[in-house]
Amino acid sequence: MTTPRSASKDFIREIIDEDLNSAKHDGTVTRFPPEPNGYLHIGHAKSICLNFGIAQEYDGRCHLRFDDTNPAKEDTEYVDSIKEDIHWLGFDWGDHLYFASDYFEKLFEWAVHLIENGKAYVDDQSSDEMRSGRGDLQNPGTDSPFRNRPLKENLDLFDRMRAGEFKDGEKVLRAKIDMAHPNLNMRDPVIYRIVHTEHHRTGDTWCIYPMYDFTHGQSDALEYVTHSLCTLEFENHRPLYEWFLENLPVPSRPRQIEFSRLSLNYTVMSKRKLLQLVEENYVSGWNDPRMPTISGIRRRGYPAEAIRNFCKTIGITKFKSTNDISLLESSVREVLNADASRFMAVLKPLKVVITNYPEDQVEQFDAVINPEKPELGTRKVPFSRELFIEQDDFMEDAPKKFFRLTVGKEVRFRCAYWIRCNEVIKDDDGNVTELRCTYDPETRGGENPPDGRKVKATIHWVSADHALDAEVRLYDRLFNTESPDSGDSNFLEHLNSDSLEILPAAKLEPNLADVAVGETVQFERLGYFCVDIESSDESPVFNRTVGLRDSWAKAKPKS
Ligand code: ATP
Ligand code: MG
């Protein structure tokens, strides 16, 4: 079967098409290979969407393989979170869950195979000696004094390394390739090192561990991966990847292809830096809603669909570039605008008393659940004599262009009545504490009155007696500069001190009591909000996912 070539395909999919058309492969196998040393971030999402997406499109399969060759930094907590995040993104590895550590025995055997063929040797040099012996781009390296050790001695020493006779760093196993090779990765790279540390899966079975380069391609080959897709920083490692495949009795020949990594402005993406933010308590954890981690953006209320759409929009290339975070945010708005139910919520409440409204009366007004989905119908919203409105929706000395509530003016209270403000009540310090208003019974449901009067604004409100008290957390960008980790400064200097504002006394439409943890809704006129994992029936907590519009675009000076 030939696969039709489409003009909109990225270069990787074009290569796959060619390989299928030329019958080089009869199926497509990819893999996503995280190291379990941190939580996944939005950059990983790009790789996940690519690898699992290709498997779906080509009716192939994508393996999840944990690249767990570095016991000191890895943990099962990370393994579990990574699985959860991939599932949440909408992908599944089926039966194909693998761990590089499952191949340790095979890799050891293959290291012995290299020694037996005169292609690896045990080196006693310190890491400093090896570094200076490697040379640089201008100068060839110099051979290690141990490079020509007899084969038998190498085999014996490597066995004793495995048996635990030596301390960390005392010996390494190196591939014997070419100390003058123009690619520094080919100058006798280390392939095994001694690490006396328990591994989260193999326990204390091993005290020698294979290096990433000696593990990755062989694992791909053992799993019959056809296309091994990785980010550009591995381009220089490709000759080594190929060298191992050529020099070992591997069962298949995968091909490594590199693409440019995702980078976003106003954030950092390196796991080391994210770990530092967590460990030094700059954020509340890996899943803090300001973090660019998958678990953070999930908690923030970003839908998985929006992440997948975003990855599709930015595409796959070989060019390094930084994407604007507002592009991600607009993907989020697009999905939520279509899907999120609407509710009214007052974040900074100001009390309103409707003096001509009967004291004990309550009316239930119909409000549309989602104008994008009329089939969902309406919800009931209670209205009574005492209400809350947003402090920002009232101004005492209002300029001409202020169309919301002010003394002597009338506005529409959404789906309820037209309300006129008559009097302002203040405390001893002169702060406005309450508004005395009247309503026009002829505007029931928010309809225009028969006399043809006009209002210029509609505002939202919540009935005081019925309101649900809640805490609302407003998030902003974690960093206040576009590229916090570029240049000489420490990225921590660019943390945005206003990235979290907590509003402890929000008043919500009572229907919001039924919204489940993790669900994202629209607070009308304010933005999208999601029920936080710390929320409970007694004390609800909502996170602001994203505002209705891009407020940063407006705030930025025009260039
Ligand atoms: P970091 O450099 O932040 O420590 P990493 O690249 O070492 O991350 P891994 O767990 O090794 O993290 O990554 C797993 C896979 O995800 C790799 O194939 C890697 O190329 C890919 N990946 C990591 N970061 C990005 C990114 N920003 N964009 C696209 N793919 C990425
Ligand atoms: Mg890595």
Side-chain angles (χ1 to χ4, degrees), residues 467-500:
L468 189 65
D469 291 304
E471 175 178 311
V472 173
R473 299 174 183 171
L474 304 181
Y475 299 100
D476 203 339
R477 288 167 189 178
L478 191 50
F479 293 92
N480 51 25
T481 52
E482 281 214 39
S483 24
D485 55 2
S486 74
D488 299 331
S489 58
N490 181 338
F491 75 107
L492 296 171
E493 286 167 23
H494 304 294
L495 279 167
N496 173 9
S497 54
D498 299 324
S499 60
L500 171 60

Side-chain angles (χ1 to χ4, degrees), residues 427-496:
D427 63 15
D428 294 344
D429 300 327
N431 301 311
V432 177
T433 55
E434 189 181 309
L435 304 178
R436 297 280 163 88
C437 301
T438 47
Y439 82 111
D440 176 357
E442 302 223 57
T443 57
R444 197 169 188 285
E447 297 297 323
N448 292 347
D451 65 7
R453 271 178 6 251
K454 296 240 157 49
V455 282
K456 286 218 160 115
T458 300
I459 66 173
H460 61 274
W461 51 272
V462 170
S463 167
D465 272 351
H466 305 86
L468 189 65
D469 291 304
E471 175 178 311
V472 173
R473 299 174 183 171
L474 304 181
Y475 299 100
D476 203 339
R477 288 167 189 178
L478 191 50
F479 293 92
N480 51 25
T481 52
E482 281 214 39
S483 24
D485 55 2
S486 74
D488 299 331
S489 58
N490 181 338
F491 75 107
L492 296 171
E493 286 167 23
H494 304 294
L495 279 167
N496 173 9

Side-chain angles (χ1 to χ4, degrees), residues 254-272:
R255 169 171 174 190
Q256 173 178 310
I257 306 171
E258 310 85 16
F259 63 96
S260 67
R261 58 198 292 128
L262 170 68
S263 105
L264 278 183
N265 59 5
Y266 295 104
T267 191
V268 295
M269 214 92 92
S270 125
K271 277 192 269 189
R272 188 178 55 76

Side-chain angles (χ1 to χ4, degrees), residues 35 67 212 234 271:
E35 182 180 356
D67 200 346
Y212 171 87
F234 291 104
K271 277 192 269 189

Side-chain angles (χ1 to χ4, degrees), residues 126-141:
S126 69
S127 54
D128 283 343
E129 286 166 331
M130 280 189 285
R131 197 173 308 120
S132 56
R134 190 171 296 130
D136 52 35
L137 290 176
Q138 283 75 41
N139 303 294

Side-chain angles (χ1 to χ4, degrees), residues 85-113:
D85 289 350
I86 297 172
H87 275 152
W88 177 76
L89 277 171
F91 299 107
D92 188 35
W93 50 89
D95 296 331
H96 299 282
L97 171 64
Y98 303 101
F99 291 84
S101 54
D102 290 341
Y103 309 134
F104 282 172
E105 195 62 53
K106 188 82 204 166
L107 291 168
F108 179 84
E109 197 182 291
W110 280 344
V112 170
H113 178 93

